[in-house]
């Protein structure tokens, strides 16, 4: 309808095409089904604006449109039944399982160099496989629902595990001047269990992981750390600070894992847990994504503008 109306004269065809092409091109930043659908909508508009015709031909155009929609839908169902989300979930399950094994190696008493090398290699390889089926693809298998957005954010969080788990926490005190906090081992075990639970949730969409136990352990570790420091009166403060700082990566791993558990629950159709001190789940609405690109510095904005001007000029 918009294309037919714009085809009345060259000026309206130019201006309307610039606006329509710009908006549809910019909408591609939302990825998923929206990015997949915008080229089809743009094609229909271009056909309508170039073909033109009197308003009396509108019913025939609409009939042809719905016939094409029906044929395309049947083709997608019967000929292209592959669900690409399965590949992504399988890769994410492998990444979480590899991360769990890597944390086990990092937090062991005396991990061998061979174990560290193998664990890090397996973890990096698992995240690389996830990148191979996700990153850099313009039509990523995502969508516009809350579950789809949560899955997209969860994939982004996996990249955070690569940065956080790359080296792992150093030993609490290499000189042996202070003993390790007993609750540190419990926190490491909690992180490992939660990561394994995440892997299970990616393999089974009916499984909803929980972060309740990990939050409890992390809070207990914080309390124990305070008592542990107070009980070592007379110890060099620099030594104590180094010992406390050694567990910082482990605490951050717990917080990140708790966030990922919340996202996994939403991605599997569940609700976030109502637990005190549970880190908030990052949210990114479609409006926020579009507003972030509304600047000349954005490549998406510039490319969309170029597309709009180019197609508009082609209409003349």
């Amino acid at each position: 309808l918009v294309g037919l109306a714009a085809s009345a004269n060259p000026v309206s065809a130019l201006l309307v095409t610039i606006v329509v092409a710009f908006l549809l091109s910019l909408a591609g930043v939302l990825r998923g089904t929206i990015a997949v659908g915008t080229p089809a909508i743009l094609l229909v508009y271009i056909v309508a604006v170039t073909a033109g015709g009197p308003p009396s031909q509108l019913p025939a155009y609409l009939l042809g449109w719905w016939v094409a929609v029906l044929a395309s839908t049947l083709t997608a169902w019967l000929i292209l039944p592959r669900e690409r989300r399965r590949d992504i979930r399988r890769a994410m399950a492998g990444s979480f399982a590899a991360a769990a094994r890597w944390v086990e190696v990092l937090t062991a008493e005396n991990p061998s160099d061979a174990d560290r090398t193998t664990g890090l290699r397996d973890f990096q390889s698992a995240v690389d496989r996830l990148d191979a089926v996700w990153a850099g693809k313009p039509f990523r298998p995502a969508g516009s629902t809350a579950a789809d957005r949560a899955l997209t954010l969860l994939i982004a969080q996996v990249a955070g595990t690569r940065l956080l788990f790359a080296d792992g926490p150093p030993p609490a005190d290499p000189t042996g001047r202070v003993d390790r906090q007993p609750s540190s081992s419990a926190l490491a075990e909690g992180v490992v269990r939660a990561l394994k639970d995440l892997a299970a949730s990616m393999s089974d969409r009916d499984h909803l992981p929980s972060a309740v136990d990990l939050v409890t352990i992390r809070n207990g570790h914080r309390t124990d750390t305070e008592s542990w420091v107070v009980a070592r009166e007379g110890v060099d403060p620099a030594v104590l600070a180094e010992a406390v700082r050694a567990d910082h990566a482990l605490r951050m791993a717990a917080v990140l894992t708790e966030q990922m558990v919340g996202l996994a629950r939403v991605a599997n159709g569940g609700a976030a847990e109502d637990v005190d001190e549970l880190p908030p789940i990052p949210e990114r609405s479609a409006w926020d994504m579009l507003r972030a690109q509304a600047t000349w510095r954005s490549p998406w904005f510039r490319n969309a503008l170029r597309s709009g001007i180019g197609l508009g000029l082609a209409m003349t």
Side-chain angles (χ1 to χ4, degrees), residues 18-270:
I18 290 177
V19 174
V20 170
F22 169 76
L23 293 177
L24 290 176
S25 298
L26 187 61
V29 74
L30 299 178
R31 305 284 186 176
T33 53
I34 295 178
V36 173
T38 51
I41 297 174
L42 184 58
L43 177 61
V44 172
Y45 167 81
I46 291 174
V47 170
V49 76
T50 53
S56 60
Q57 293 183 354
L58 181 59
Y61 281 129
L62 292 177
L63 177 61
W65 162 257
W66 285 113
V67 170
V69 168
L70 179 61
S72 300
T73 302
L74 292 175
T75 300
W77 280 349
L78 302 177
I79 300 179
L80 303 173
R82 179 177 174 83
E83 173 57 80
R84 293 182 60 195
R85 286 185 181 88
R86 295 177 182 175
D87 295 337
I88 291 178
R89 284 180 168 269
R90 189 179 301 111
M92 291 182 68
S95 297
F96 289 132
R101 293 191 297 270
W102 179 225
V103 172
E104 286 179 318
V105 171
L106 290 175
T107 55
E109 285 295 331
N110 294 300
S112 65
D113 292 340
D115 288 341
R116 291 179 67 92
T117 300
T118 302
L120 179 59
R121 184 189 64 235
D122 292 345
F123 170 61
Q124 298 281 24
S125 298
V127 178
D128 288 341
R129 284 192 292 273
L130 176 59
D131 289 341
V133 298
W134 173 259
K137 298 184 182 298
F139 300 145
R140 295 172 181 174
S144 56
T145 66
D148 291 329
R149 291 196 299 271
L151 183 64
T152 301
L153 289 173
L154 182 57
I155 296 171
Q157 292 284 56
V158 175
T161 65
R162 182 199 291 269
L163 298 175
L164 187 60
F165 297 158
D167 298 323
D173 179 38
T175 64
R177 288 173 288 181
V178 294
D179 55 317
R180 182 177 176 84
Q181 302 174 57
S183 58
S184 297
S185 298
L187 183 59
E189 293 172 358
V191 171
V192 170
R193 286 196 300 271
L195 288 171
K196 291 180 178 179
D197 204 18
L198 278 168
S201 70
M202 291 297 100
S203 300
D204 181 5
R205 298 191 185 191
D206 295 329
H207 176 67
L208 296 180
S210 175
V212 174
D213 290 343
L214 184 55
V215 172
T216 302
I217 295 172
R218 179 170 58 83
N219 289 335
H221 179 269
R222 181 185 59 195
T223 302
D224 291 346
T225 299
E226 296 171 355
S227 302
W228 181 83
V229 171
V230 171
R232 279 150 185 80
E233 183 179 359
V235 178
D236 185 356
V239 175
L240 289 178
E242 183 63 26
V244 172
R245 187 162 50 247
D247 275 344
H248 177 69
L250 186 57
R251 290 190 292 270
M252 291 301 298
V255 172
L256 177 61
T257 303
E258 291 163 15
Q259 284 187 328
M260 292 192 295
V261 167
L263 288 171
R265 291 178 61 88
V266 177
N268 281 6

Side-chain angles (χ1 to χ4, degrees), residues 300-315:
W300 276 100
F301 182 89
R302 296 196 299 269
N303 289 337
L305 186 60
R306 282 194 290 264
S307 298
I309 295 175
L311 287 174
L313 293 175
M315 294 299 102

